[in-house]
Amino acid sequence: MAKEKGRYRRALAAAFPHTVPIFAGFWFLGLAYGIYMNVSGFSFWYPMVMSLVIFGGSLEFVAVSMLLSPFAPLQTLLMTLMIQARHLFYGIAMLDKYRGLGWKRFYLIFGMCDESFSINYTAPIPQGVDRGWFYVFVTLLNQIYWVSGATLGGLAGSLLEFNTQGLEFVMTAMFVVIFLEQWKKERSHLTAFIGLGAAAACRLGFGADSFLIPTMACILVLLAAFRKPLERVGDPV
């Protein structure tokens, strides 16, 4: 029992520092989301439960307008697939890392968000730390940050009134930091240039509202096509 507790503590201690920037971003956005739900006429338990079971920030914001609109299950399904379809590519990238983790895979699949994917895919796991529990604690901590922020926002929404316009830029800033950290780890930066080039090309070709999924598809194809050259120069694929 003591050995098991030690394994959990080591994994938690290794995972927590990587999630601190996520905490800052998730709490700001979670609070904004909870307040938004409250001013839209929903009790605090709506953002609490939705953040717990949906756990998709973009989709949860869109879900507010869905709840206020006439019942349209097919439209809701299609909108959900469009917004969250990028996770298909995340899942493909994590097949090797999540292989052999037993029951933990089910929670890791459910809890995979942009931020948890970024950490679990790129973060070096210290020697002696259980890989599966490291992934679980990264995912769990990030979900706790989001759920607690959304719940507090829902509770405080009736007490506080302020303009939350522009607060979503916190997530953009956080992803810039993650990109720069990955840039410093790469030797040739080829994967970074592939991502930037694919995003720029798809942004010009498909527009601001529809470029995300084509970008992910292009990145997947290009990484698969240049896998061997990238591995030779030491960049992660």
Side-chain angles (χ1 to χ4, degrees):
M1 182 65 70
K3 186 177 180 180
E4 286 293 313
K5 289 183 179 179
R7 184 171 64 169
Y8 302 152
R9 284 196 294 267
R10 286 193 299 272
L12 178 59
F16 176 71
H18 293 284
T19 67
V20 172
I22 312 301
F23 168 73
F26 271 18
W27 254 49
F28 272 110
L29 272 185
L31 287 168
Y33 167 64
I35 293 171
Y36 177 47
M37 286 288 287
N38 183 273
V39 299
S40 297
F42 297 97
S43 174
F44 79 93
W45 64 267
Y46 273 88
M48 180 179 68
V49 174
M50 288 174 64
S51 61
L52 183 64
V53 299
I54 298 176
F55 193 40
S58 302
L59 179 60
E60 289 176 47
F61 276 95
V62 175
V64 179
S65 60
M66 293 179 180
L67 290 171
L68 295 174
S69 301
F71 182 62
L74 181 58
Q75 181 181 351
T76 300
L77 174 62
L78 294 176
M79 181 67 70
T80 302
L81 289 175
M82 288 177 59
I83 295 173
Q84 300 297 101
R86 65 188 186 279
H87 291 169
L88 294 170
F89 303 100
Y90 296 167
I92 293 172
M94 298 302 289
L95 286 175
D96 289 335
K97 290 182 177 291
Y98 288 172
R99 182 174 287 116
L101 297 183
W103 63 267
K104 298 182 186 71
R105 289 181 301 134
F106 296 103
Y107 175 66
L108 293 171
I109 292 169
F110 162 76
M112 184 184 294
C113 61
D114 301 350
E115 297 75 17
S116 296
F117 166 77
S118 298
I119 296 174
N120 285 339
Y121 188 76
T122 62
I125 301 176
Q127 187 175 4
V129 173
D130 184 274
R131 178 173 61 94
W133 282 110
F134 176 86
Y135 294 151
V136 167
F137 280 123
V138 166
T139 305
L140 179 62
L141 287 170
N142 287 340
Q143 186 174 17
I144 289 173
Y145 301 153
W146 179 252
V147 174
S148 60
T151 303
L152 288 175
L155 289 170
S158 58
L159 305 175
L160 301 176
E161 292 186 4
F162 63 94
N163 187 2
T164 61
Q165 185 177 2
L167 195 60
E168 65 275 6
F169 185 75
V170 172
M171 300 300 288
T172 303
M174 183 176 62
F175 275 113
V176 170
V177 172
I178 292 173
F179 174 79
L180 292 176
E181 286 292 326
Q182 181 67 11
W183 177 277
K184 290 192 297 184
K185 293 177 183 178
E186 292 182 337
R187 296 180 182 178
S188 68
H189 308 306
L190 289 177
T191 54
F193 288 130
I194 287 175
L196 291 172
C202 291
R203 170 65 173 80
L204 291 173
F206 294 93
D209 297 329
S210 306
F211 81 102
L212 185 57
I213 300 304
T215 298
M216 298 299 293
C218 288
I219 291 174
L220 179 63
V221 171
L222 290 172
L223 289 179
F226 295 101
R227 182 183 182 91
K228 291 184 178 180
L230 291 170
E231 289 177 342
R232 281 198 296 268
V233 298
D235 281 352
V237 179

